[in-house]
Amino acid sequence: MPMSVAPDETNPPPAGPPPRLLDLGLRVAGGLVAVVAGVVTGVVELLLATLRVAGQLVGVSVLVAVGANIALGWFAHRTVGRRWSVALPAVPWFVLMAVAAIRTAEGDLLLAGDNWVGLVMIVAGAMTFAVMGFRQILAPSTHSPG
């Protein structure tokens, strides 16, 4: 019985972009979503930092900062797949918080020093990003060594 060494040509190669290019595109898109989400959640947290009930400040923005930053750190790592990816939402969030604490030429200030909720929100949000980054750095590698 003769045997052929030619490959079977009944199945044509799949059409469309190569899988590596598609993977790269999805990782870049995930990174962009993480950056935009970092800005959006920072704005929402700044708006909630001045929330008052019966004249008293309510610390709901602290809970939102911790929860949102955990979710953003997880999402960035999951979509980008790199240990440094927690920086994608963290950097714009930190920049936004720093800008909010600077008085404008007109005297406007988003986060005043006497707003305990805003100060706790910045500390809690920064600590959350730090813990998420630390955990990702110390996590065992998911890549095989070969």
Side-chain angles (χ1 to χ4, degrees), residues 7 91 95 108 137:
V91 169
V95 169
D108 298 333
I137 289 170

Side-chain angles (χ1 to χ4, degrees), residues 28-93:
V28 169
L32 289 174
V33 168
V35 169
V36 171
V39 172
V40 170
T41 59
V43 169
V44 169
E45 293 160 17
L46 285 171
L47 292 173
L48 292 175
T50 58
L51 181 66
R52 295 178 182 267
V53 174
Q56 298 295 321
L57 286 170
V58 180
V60 70
S61 67
V62 176
L63 299 175
V64 171
V66 170
N69 292 356
I70 288 172
L72 287 174
W74 173 84
F75 175 80
H77 184 260
R78 190 81 174 142
T79 56
V80 176
R82 300 286 187 249
R83 292 176 187 224
W84 54 264
S85 61
V86 71
L88 292 173
V91 169
W93 188 88

Side-chain angles (χ1 to χ4, degrees), residues 110-126:
L110 291 175
L111 276 180
D114 62 349
N115 182 347
W116 69 268
V117 174
L119 298 175
V120 172
M121 176 192 67
I122 290 173
V123 170

